[in-house]
Amino acid sequence: MNLPYELFIGLRYLKAKRKQTFISIITFISMAGVMVGVMALVIVLSVMAGFQEDLRAKILGTTSHILVMKFGKGMENANEVTNKIKAVPHVVAASPFIYNQVMLTSETGVSGAVVRGIEPETATTVTDIAKNIKEGSLSVVSQKKKDKNGIEVPGALIGKELARNLGVFMGDYINVISPLGTVTPMGMVPKVKRFQVEGVFDSGMYEYDSSLIYVSLKEAQSFFELGNMVTGIEVRTDDIYRAREIGKEIQGSLGYPFWTRDWIEMNKNLFAALKLEKIAMFVILALIVLVAAFNIISTLIMVVMEKQKDIAILKAMGATSGSIMKIFVIEGTVIGTVGTALGLFGGYVSCFLLAKYKFIELPGDVYYISTLPVKMEPMTLLIVSIAALGISFIATIYPAYQAARLDPAEALRYE
């Protein structure tokens, strides 16, 4: 099978003659520039995708996909509402909860916190909190133990950072103080209840680990004097990316005064910032490929200047301007394609090694992850490839156009 002569000549020009070694070196530098740019793009975008996935996993480890709430004081008919929610398509599980702000005190510290009253049996079906528990278990919130005075004290599960702030360990006692106390002749008196630390969880998110305390739903209802009311219902779906759509279906099924919030809406600012940062990094690192494209332009211009006699002879033999242009477009595109392919391979291998051997370590107390998370996405590789090849192709147009404009009579006049 014979190659088109434009392709044959374009590939031939990639290999310089002995006296044109400098042009050959510039060609390899252009390829290396594209390779480095593509490799950097693949690694950085994969690491950022890994960060985003890791962050999402940590958020969904503590927060459900959808929260169903009710305008007003609370939700009384929780069981009836839960059954209606479960009947909505794509809903996997639902569990009632109570959410309220309190003050915590211990023998050595004071801290503001949020109490979440949960049913241990159903709470594990809507969140992954059980996976985050480092000491104890979720069932401890339903248990009561007698202290040295024979008084029954309910158990509580608290965050690692909150335990550190309060200076408490497993088995220590904490006081939960509610500002919504009782009215007495002396004024409003805060309500206080004693709990024993029977479990510690570590979600990896400082906001949760430093402010959350889990107790049983019944204890929370009793402490806040809610009767049978709950704050809302947590819902888990079979597709986290359709949470908003499913939430609207739930809201439509329940009607007013119920309303819903999905996990994306609750963390909208955080994920929007990550998305913006990812786009910014793509643009910044694409400049490396752009710099390599200027190398391609300079290489082709030098080749055009060196091959003026060859171009003139080709035109005298009947080659059209379009064919001449095609020769140099092919040469520049091959440089860009080889550089892109090597960059993709290098980026893939680097990400694979980084994910497997985790040789880049991070301070866990600062980032709450010990190594860089990596997630290679096919769409990322495709976008990087298209961008690199597109920039490389555009870089060939001007030199190829100049070669096509060459007048053979002028080029051969002094030969």
Side-chain angles (χ1 to χ4, degrees), residues 245-266:
E245 176 188 333
I246 298 167
K248 288 180 180 178
E249 290 183 25
I250 292 172
Q251 190 169 334
S253 173
L254 297 176
Y256 183 84
F258 295 94
W259 57 281
T260 61
R261 290 186 73 188
D262 60 90
W263 68 275
I264 299 174
E265 186 181 356
M266 287 186 281

Side-chain angles (χ1 to χ4, degrees), residues 20 33 45 52-53 68 75 92 124 129 141 152 179-180 188 221 227 242 265 273 292 323 356 358 365 396:
Q20 301 163 351
L45 294 180
Q52 194 166 348
E53 185 180 61
V68 180
M75 195 182 295
V92 176
T124 53
I129 181 63
V141 300
E152 287 191 334
L180 305 174
M188 182 72 75
Q221 286 172 332
R242 294 186 60 195
E265 186 181 356
S323 295
K356 186 173 182 179
K358 304 182 186 301
D365 56 340
T396 66

Side-chain angles (χ1 to χ4, degrees), residues 130-277:
K131 297 179 181 178
N132 298 330
I133 298 174
K134 303 303 178 185
E135 295 182 82
S137 65
L138 198 61
S139 61
V140 298
V141 300
S142 298
Q143 299 171 4
K144 289 185 178 182
K145 289 185 178 180
K146 291 183 178 180
D147 62 10
K148 58 184 179 181
N149 297 320
I151 302 173
E152 287 191 334
V153 180
L157 178 71
I158 70 174
K160 177 184 174 183
E161 294 299 326
L162 184 57
R164 184 181 297 175
N165 293 340
L166 293 172
V168 295
F169 299 92
M170 290 284 288
D172 289 347
Y173 294 97
I174 56 174
N175 296 312
V176 178
I177 305 169
S178 171
L180 305 174
T182 54
V183 180
T184 68
M186 301 296 292
M188 182 72 75
V189 177
K191 193 171 184 180
V192 182
K193 190 172 182 67
R194 202 163 171 235
F195 287 84
Q196 187 173 20
V197 177
E198 291 291 343
V200 176
F201 70 88
D202 181 9
S203 68
M205 293 286 289
Y206 183 82
E207 303 154 22
Y208 299 144
D209 295 341
S210 63
S211 63
L212 271 179
I213 169 172
Y214 288 92
V215 301
S216 72
L217 191 70
K218 290 182 179 179
E219 288 294 338
Q221 286 172 332
S222 172
F223 181 64
F224 295 113
E225 299 180 354
L226 295 175
N228 292 322
M229 287 197 302
V230 297
T231 303
I233 295 171
E234 295 180 295
V235 180
R236 191 183 190 94
T237 65
D238 58 3
D239 186 352
I240 60 174
Y241 299 105
R242 294 186 60 195
R244 181 166 298 178
E245 176 188 333
I246 298 167
K248 288 180 180 178
E249 290 183 25
I250 292 172
Q251 190 169 334
S253 173
L254 297 176
Y256 183 84
F258 295 94
W259 57 281
T260 61
R261 290 186 73 188
D262 60 90
W263 68 275
I264 299 174
E265 186 181 356
M266 287 186 281
N267 301 279
K268 183 165 58 177
N269 292 340
L270 183 58
F271 285 103
L274 281 173
K275 186 177 181 181
L276 181 62
E277 188 177 0

Side-chain angles (χ1 to χ4, degrees), residues 383-414:
I383 291 171
V384 169
S385 302
I386 291 172
L389 291 174
I391 291 172
S392 300
F393 174 76
I394 292 170
T396 66
I397 294 175
Y398 175 74
Y401 176 69
Q402 290 299 318
R405 288 182 60 202
L406 187 68
D407 184 359
E410 287 291 329
L412 296 172
R413 176 176 294 179
Y414 301 106

